[in-house]
Amino acid sequence: MAITTNAISTAAANATAVQVEALNAFVQRHRRLFVLTGAGCSTPSGIPDYRDAEGGWKRPQPVTFQAFTGEAATRRRYWARSLAGWPRFATARANPAHRALATLEREGRIEALVTQNVDGLHQQAGSATVIDLHGRLDQVVCLGCGARHPREELQQRLLARNPGWERHVAAIAPDGDADLDGVDFASFEVPDCVGCGGLLKPDVVFYGESVPRARVEAAVAHLRRSDAMLVVGSSLMVYSGLRFARMAAEAGIPVAALNLGRTRADELLSLKVEADCVAALAGWVARDSG
């Protein structure tokens, strides 16, 4: 007898439901969770990710720290794309996955939430104990004097120096910039720090840069006080997140992952749930409001 498409869909839905129940049981068994989130937590908010289900790149790799600091042309291209993408990035809103994790924290079940995302949506949803491992895109830092300013303030300076560029329409990219193809960036003007004239950079960790030691140490301290680790929406392909899964496994702390597709730590997992973050965590939001 041929297996119908409906039968396959039903079997897949049933399998997912079983996995989600296993995830709920995992959370209930462990009172102090160390949560690590990645791009899959924010894609439902309209912020795209870089990797596919196999962990491969969907698009060109992001700009490196070395290229950004060493090449004026790279900075012009970056800030021109950022000017176009910032309005949509800045108006992204927390989704039910963010709110579910905030609910769990309010119930006293989360030791700390470490995020690889730079969008601030966990804080927007109400999470308080958040470590922004890779920084925040809503801040700009001067590489000369260290001064920090709101990204929105720089947006106004970019618009003032580059009239007409706001008319470029492009799809938002993962880092809050935009895909501007076939555009000549040679005439784009990049403002310097108003205080010292130094180079301005988004206050995020670029590829080729190290995560600040204080953030890593704070996260490790929280991990040691936890009795389980939960990965949400991350393939852990980047070492900055993978290290915590390895530390947890070495310490005998069970690790569960909620992620569509493979992770770099699959062999370390006590539980793997391949489901959409919002669909899998929606019940936690309902519990808080019910």
Side-chain angles (χ1 to χ4, degrees):
M1 179 183 294
I3 300 175
T4 67
T5 301
N6 285 342
I8 294 173
S9 298
T10 300
N14 290 339
T16 298
V18 170
Q19 289 186 44
V20 171
E21 282 304 312
L23 176 63
N24 290 334
F26 179 91
V27 171
Q28 290 302 316
R29 285 198 306 272
H30 301 100
R31 301 296 305 179
R32 297 186 311 280
L33 288 173
F34 178 91
V35 179
L36 176 75
T37 68
C41 202
S42 290
T43 50
S45 294
I47 299 175
D49 56 1
Y50 271 108
R51 297 182 185 274
D52 59 24
E54 294 302 312
W57 293 100
K58 291 181 180 179
R59 51 184 295 114
Q61 295 186 29
V63 65
T64 66
F65 177 75
Q66 292 76 12
F68 183 87
T69 56
E71 303 166 4
T74 297
R75 290 193 295 278
R76 287 194 296 270
R77 179 177 181 273
Y78 177 87
W79 285 118
R81 288 161 53 98
S82 180
L83 183 153
W86 172 251
R88 288 185 60 193
F89 187 90
T91 55
R93 292 294 174 258
N95 65 60
H98 297 110
R99 294 194 290 274
L101 293 170
T103 294
L104 207 60
E105 184 186 66
R106 284 192 293 273
E107 293 178 350
R109 308 299 298 275
I110 290 182
E111 166 67 28
L113 189 156
V114 177
T115 184
Q116 296 172 294
N117 300 333
V118 295
D119 50 43
L121 294 183
H122 285 297
Q123 291 90 333
Q124 187 187 108
S127 291
T129 308
V130 180
I131 296 175
D132 295 297
L133 195 64
H134 295 160
R136 289 276 294 267
L137 205 61
D138 59 1
Q139 294 288 311
V140 176
V141 62
C142 173
L143 297 181
C145 66
R148 284 175 167 78
H149 302 283
R151 172 64 181 80
E152 183 57 38
E153 180 181 297
L154 179 62
Q155 182 75 355
Q156 300 311 311
R157 296 181 63 201
L158 287 167
L159 289 168
R161 296 278 289 272
N162 300 279
W165 278 82
E166 72 278 4
R167 292 195 292 270
H168 286 288
V169 178
I172 188 174
D175 287 332
D177 53 356
D179 293 323
L180 291 179
D181 297 320
V183 175
D184 183 1
F185 302 104
S187 64
F188 191 85
E189 295 186 17
V190 179
D192 294 325
C193 174
V194 294
C196 74
L199 295 181
L200 295 177
K201 170 185 169 292
D203 197 10
V204 299
V205 177
F206 277 13
Y207 274 75
E209 239 185 320
S210 298
V211 176
R213 179 177 302 219
R215 289 180 204 165
V216 176
E217 291 176 348
V220 170
H222 283 296
L223 179 60
R224 288 172 177 163
R225 291 194 291 269
S226 304
D227 57 10
M229 178 175 175
L230 174 62
V231 179
V232 179
S234 176
S235 63
L236 299 176
M237 291 297 165
V238 178
Y239 177 73
S240 62
L242 176 65
R243 76 177 101 195
F244 298 113
R246 288 180 173 172
M247 288 179 187
E250 289 171 1
I253 297 172
V255 183
L258 168 61
N259 188 65
L260 286 170
R262 80 180 189 92
T263 80
R264 197 174 164 191
D266 277 355
E267 73 280 1
L268 305 177
L269 301 179
S270 302
L271 174 67
K272 174 76 176 293
V273 178
E274 294 200 51
D276 174 80
C277 293
V278 168
L281 304 183
W284 300 357
V285 178
R287 183 180 66 211
D288 186 53
S289 59

